Amino acid sequence: MDMREFPVLLVEDNEDDILFVQRAFRRAKLSNALPVVEDGDAAVAYLSGQGEYADRDRHPMPTLILLDIKLPRRSGLEVLEWLRAQAGLRRIPVVMLTSSRESADVDRAFDLGASGYLVKPVDFNGLLEMVKTIGMYWMVMSELPSAPLEAPPPS
């Protein structure tokens, strides 16, 4: 199985966290494409296939989304709410990957349809183990939904 066929969209605005997640994917030997967008509006544009994200060869539809909560322009929770309202996209698993341990954030994420909620570890080894577990669970053990039918219009 070619893991590049199972892209993971990382929605994260912190440059250091982006670099650490990319490094953890490499160290975990996960060859999934790992496109990155840095704010909520860009996430919606990416998932809608709008603007610079219209070319699906360059910007493949993700099989899994790792979504931070605290994002500029549109929060991760707002992105999740938008995503779950899109008939063609609502089945894509979304794992909140955030530093927030606030029970209100956890509850809201699951109320909106998050598939999981992970708190970013404070050290790289913890992140590496988390990424290995994400890879094993979501890319090896889990049955994933079929590809989205079509990209929705942006909102």
Side-chain angles (χ1 to χ4, degrees), residues 3 23-32 128 131-132:
M3 295 309 282
R23 183 175 168 211
F25 264 70
R26 285 191 304 273
R27 282 268 182 97
K29 298 187 182 350
L30 296 177
S31 60
N32 303 73
L128 178 59
V131 165
K132 286 179 182 177

Side-chain angles (χ1 to χ4, degrees), residues 4-129:
R4 289 171 293 195
E5 295 175 17
F6 299 94
V8 176
L9 178 63
L10 177 61
V11 185
E12 172 63 62
D13 66 317
N14 182 296
E15 293 282 333
D16 291 334
D17 287 347
I18 292 168
L19 293 172
F20 286 136
V21 170
Q22 290 170 329
R23 183 175 168 211
F25 264 70
R26 285 191 304 273
R27 282 268 182 97
K29 298 187 182 350
L30 296 177
S31 60
N32 303 73
L34 187 64
V36 177
V37 293
E38 297 185 14
D39 66 64
D41 284 349
V44 168
Y46 186 102
L47 293 165
S48 299
Q50 298 297 314
E52 67 181 287
Y53 304 109
D55 181 351
R56 283 294 176 214
D57 290 333
R58 288 187 46 220
H59 305 287
M61 188 59 74
T63 302
L64 174 69
I65 300 170
L66 301 178
L67 180 60
D68 191 14
I69 285 182
K70 297 182 183 353
L71 296 168
R73 296 191 179 85
R74 191 184 305 217
S75 75
L77 294 173
E78 290 171 314
V79 171
L80 179 60
E81 184 173 28
W82 172 86
L83 181 67
R84 293 304 186 230
Q86 308 307 308
L89 301 177
R90 68 173 56 121
R91 292 182 186 159
I92 298 173
V94 177
V95 175
M96 306 309 290
L97 182 59
T98 182
S99 56
S100 174
R101 291 184 179 273
E102 293 184 34
S103 60
D105 286 340
V106 176
D107 292 346
R108 183 73 177 137
F110 280 107
D111 287 346
L112 292 171
S115 307
Y117 194 102
L118 300 173
V119 176
K120 295 174 191 171
V122 294
D123 67 352
F124 180 75
N125 287 333
L127 179 63
L128 178 59
E129 289 306 310

